[in-house]
Amino acid sequence: MRIFDMHTHCFPDALAPKALPTLAAICKSPYYGDGTFDDLCRKLQEAGADGAMILHIATKPTQMTSVNNFAAACQRNGIFCFGSVFPTAENAVEELHRIKSLGLKGVKLHPDYQGFFVDDPAVFPVYETAAALELPIVFHTGFDPYSPDVVHCPPRTLAEVADRFPQLTIIAAHMGGMRMDQEVEKYLLGKSNVYFDTAYTTYSMDAARCGELIRRHGVEKVFFATDFPWSTIEAERALLEQIDFTDEERALLYYENANRIFGLSLT
Ligand SMILES: [Zn+2]
């Protein structure tokens, strides 16, 4: 069975030795590996995975160019990338056009790291442009240890964005909202333009609850993902393997959904 990890991270070699331990200390999170691209590729191979999507995040307006250039340089042999914009930057819309022309697969927004609320009208031009360019947006959704007291993208608010921008393909990371499954159930389940990823589900819920949410949202709208280096393929698979999916459902979850949406065409 093919395995594609829809949510991973890495840093440029020069930044990784400092960036990863610093983030880990702030978030009080364990991590696996050294945060570099080479290490990510090695871990994928060890886990028997066929490829991954790397999600990059611009945490300052001035980082957009370098982050997206790094993303473009990472794409090869089963490795694809989402770029990022700092959504309140004055040239964010222009950068979306560059993301498209670089051949990146979508846009990652992390409202906690980037300090904006997802329903702020100031960022609506980013949603409009991403929809027009057919660039899906993956949002970090729900709780994040980086901003434990303020959730910038709760499932309820993201559902309003999904309704307001029906042409926008939204991926609500962490099963629609980390540690907010009640709100996911109430507002996001079944929304036609909203996909979920399973990144770091081991941090949020047990297999029974995860299986229930995947089935009710639609297994054709959920991507297998880990949030590596914050979790591993082995750990996240161990949780999903407890769910009584059919072989066909497993194929959708682990690979076919990503292939259908992003045209991975791995050989
Ligand atoms: Zn992540």
Side-chain angles (χ1 to χ4, degrees):
M1 185 184 64
R2 284 189 185 276
I3 297 175
F4 187 82
D5 184 343
M6 245 324 273
H7 184 147
T8 68
H9 303 283
C10 72
F11 304 92
D13 288 355
L15 300 181
K18 198 169 160 211
L20 194 54
T22 303
L23 273 175
I26 294 169
C27 299
K28 300 183 183 66
S29 301
Y31 58 94
Y32 306 89
D34 65 15
T36 62
F37 176 79
D38 287 347
D39 185 57
L40 168 63
C41 294
R42 209 162 34 235
K43 296 286 175 16
L44 288 170
Q45 203 170 23
E46 283 169 14
D50 297 275
M53 193 69 79
I54 307 176
L55 309 178
H56 298 273
I57 306 165
T59 53
K60 288 187 262 186
T62 50
Q63 277 180 356
M64 292 193 297
T65 309
S66 58
V67 162
N68 293 322
N69 289 349
F70 175 60
C74 288
Q75 295 207 114
R76 71 191 75 163
N77 300 335
I79 307 288
F80 303 86
C81 295
F82 272 40
S84 187
V85 296
F86 193 85
T88 51
E90 59 177 26
N91 55 338
V93 163
E94 203 180 311
E95 188 66 12
L96 287 172
H97 286 271
R98 213 173 68 86
I99 284 172
K100 185 75 181 178
S101 67
L102 285 169
L104 300 173
K105 295 289 188 184
V107 180
K108 167 79 187 251
L109 297 181
H110 198 312
D112 298 303
Y113 283 33
Q114 296 177 315
F116 73 99
F117 290 94
V118 277
D119 59 347
D120 181 348
V123 303
F124 287 177
V126 167
Y127 302 155
E128 272 159 27
T129 307
L133 293 171
E134 297 183 352
L135 288 170
I137 299 182
V138 50
F139 290 89
H140 175 93
T141 315
F143 173 82
D144 191 285
Y146 188 81
S147 171
D149 302 322
V150 185
V151 176
H152 291 81
C153 180
R156 183 182 58 77
T157 320
L158 189 59
E160 290 168 15
V161 171
D163 288 342
R164 185 183 273 265
F165 299 94
Q167 305 304 320
L168 178 65
T169 297
I170 289 174
I171 302 168
H174 313 295
M175 283 304 298
M178 189 176 275
R179 295 193 165 176
M180 297 184 80
D181 60 304
Q182 303 285 343
E183 205 174 305
V184 171
E185 189 167 27
K186 194 162 174 195
Y187 297 103
L188 274 183
L189 276 193
K191 277 216 177 292
S192 60
N193 56 332
V194 176
Y195 292 74
F196 294 167
D197 77 28
T198 67
Y200 215 170
T201 304
T202 50
Y203 182 75
S204 287
M205 62 181 82
D206 62 19
R209 182 63 166 157
C210 181
E212 181 196 356
L213 293 181
I214 290 175
R215 283 244 159 72
R216 286 177 54 199
H217 188 57
V219 72
E220 72 288 351
K221 291 175 62 194
V222 182
F223 304 111
F224 169 69
T226 63
D227 212 2
F228 180 83
W230 306 111
S231 183
T232 64
I233 289 181
E234 289 84 353
E236 299 304 322
R237 271 195 81 185
L239 182 128
L240 291 171
E241 291 301 322
Q242 295 170 44
I243 304 165
D244 61 344
F245 292 123
T246 63
D247 289 349
E248 199 179 12
E249 287 173 326
R250 262 176 231 287
L252 289 171
L253 192 61
Y254 282 108
Y255 178 76
E256 294 299 341
N257 292 335
N259 188 38
R260 186 179 73 248
I261 310 291
F262 297 103
L264 308 177
S265 47
L266 301 185
T267 51

